[in-house]
Amino acid sequence: MAISQPYFRICRPFAGGHYIESIDSTYLRDPRYATDLIDLVRGYHLLEKQLYRLFDYVEPSDANLDCFSHELYALLLRASTEFEANARAILSANGYVARGNLTMQDYHKINSASRLSEYKVTIPIWNGSHKRLTPLQGWAAGHSLSWYQDYNAAKHDRAANFSKASLRNAIDAVAAVFCIVFSQFHIFAFDPNHPVSMFGVDDSGNHWSHDASLLTIETPVSWGEADMYEFDWNLLKSQVNPFLQYTF
């Protein structure tokens, strides 16, 4: 049986596979669902703009994956902390309480709710096999993410680990932020400055794109009917508490 109320900050398809019931009336834009949609989407797009500017100097190609620099170091740190901010917001909204400071072991719990390990991101202008990314695939087998481990190593000892501030890690970190933002706000992650009304989606209904975004994204396809949403938001939104907390 499908889920009759949406979880806080967890976007899932409706029974039948569609994600958006209405552009103008959707739980994704209700302030009770999340008050910081614009802030987090803007945060992501600033990272995307920085990556796009870097491509003026470093060709987006497999040949340059291991290059590193201070600009890439700054992008890796910013993207990684932005990822943490999104993860904390999801856990907090759903009532999760950690025993100490939140760590990757805590953040990993989000995968059970949003299936972030299945999200795929494409860089259309990329030349080579790294064009299609799965930045959170590591969560399918455990709580470790290689780009995040390298971020921590470079942050705590840049002198010894400066080479870990690579183009490979920076783009994976930016792509991971895109995934976690999209997993909360879906198409509204595409443009922080204008209402999203027009967007691209392929015949499968799982590959999404927008003119305002450098990257395109593919959503998970493994949802079972019992994991999907099934409700009429126009009826549900009048309730005092229309959202559920996911138990991590």
Side-chain angles (χ1 to χ4, degrees):
M1 186 174 179
I3 300 167
S4 60
Q5 290 176 258
Y7 295 115
F8 286 102
R9 309 182 78 104
I10 295 170
C11 177
R12 291 187 176 188
F14 285 87
H18 62 286
Y19 276 86
I20 301 296
E21 71 279 32
S22 168
I23 295 292
D24 297 320
S25 178
T26 171
Y27 70 97
L28 296 167
R29 297 175 63 181
D30 191 295
R32 293 170 293 180
Y33 176 73
T35 59
D36 53 359
L37 185 158
I38 297 298
D39 177 64
L40 292 178
V41 175
R42 288 188 68 242
Y44 163 68
H45 279 275
L46 288 171
L47 296 172
E48 188 184 84
K49 287 179 182 179
Q50 186 177 352
L51 179 63
Y52 193 69
R53 288 194 298 268
L54 280 167
F55 287 159
D56 286 339
Y57 306 97
V58 180
E59 191 66 18
S61 168
D62 283 359
N64 295 321
L65 280 170
D66 294 325
C67 72
F68 57 95
S69 71
H70 283 281
E71 287 293 329
L72 287 167
Y73 175 80
L75 179 57
L76 176 60
L77 265 61
R78 284 189 60 209
S80 298
T81 55
E82 193 69 22
F83 182 84
E84 293 169 338
N86 278 269
R88 284 195 300 270
I90 295 169
L91 292 172
S92 176
N94 285 282
Y96 179 79
V97 179
R99 295 183 178 180
N101 292 330
L102 290 171
T103 68
M104 186 53 69
Q105 292 188 14
D106 299 298
Y107 303 148
H108 168 254
K109 296 179 186 297
I110 297 168
N111 196 53
S112 65
S114 300
R115 306 200 177 178
L116 282 164
S117 60
E118 298 179 30
Y119 275 80
K120 301 177 178 66
V121 172
T122 298
I123 310 174
I125 62 173
W126 190 269
N127 180 22
S129 61
H130 211 66
K131 182 174 188 173
R132 193 163 181 253
L133 315 173
T134 51
L136 296 158
Q137 188 175 35
W139 274 0
H143 59 77
S144 295
L145 299 170
S146 59
W147 59 265
Y148 190 86
Q149 290 178 310
D150 286 349
Y151 144 72
N152 267 319
K155 179 181 71 171
H156 292 297
D157 191 347
R158 191 177 72 187
N161 298 298
F162 192 32
S163 63
K164 295 184 185 296
S166 64
L167 180 61
R168 181 194 308 272
N169 283 329
I171 62 174
D172 282 353
V174 172
V177 177
F178 189 24
C179 291
I180 200 169
V181 173
F182 204 88
S183 77
Q184 297 169 82
F185 308 119
H186 204 257
I187 60 168
F188 303 105
F190 277 132
D191 191 341
N193 301 311
H194 305 92
V196 175
S197 57
M198 300 293 291
F199 54 90
V201 59
D202 70 357
D203 292 339
S204 71
N206 298 306
H207 194 156
W208 307 80
S209 61
H210 190 278
D211 288 345
S213 180
L214 169 65
L215 309 181
T216 68
I217 194 164
E218 296 172 63
T219 47
V221 297
S222 66
W223 298 107
E225 188 172 335
D227 301 312
M228 295 180 179
Y229 290 147
E230 188 169 18
F231 53 79
D232 184 337
W233 179 245
N234 283 321
L235 297 176
L236 189 61
K237 67 183 180 182
S238 62
Q239 295 187 12
V240 176
N241 298 308
F243 296 99
L244 300 173
Q245 287 188 323
Y246 184 89
T247 302
F248 289 106

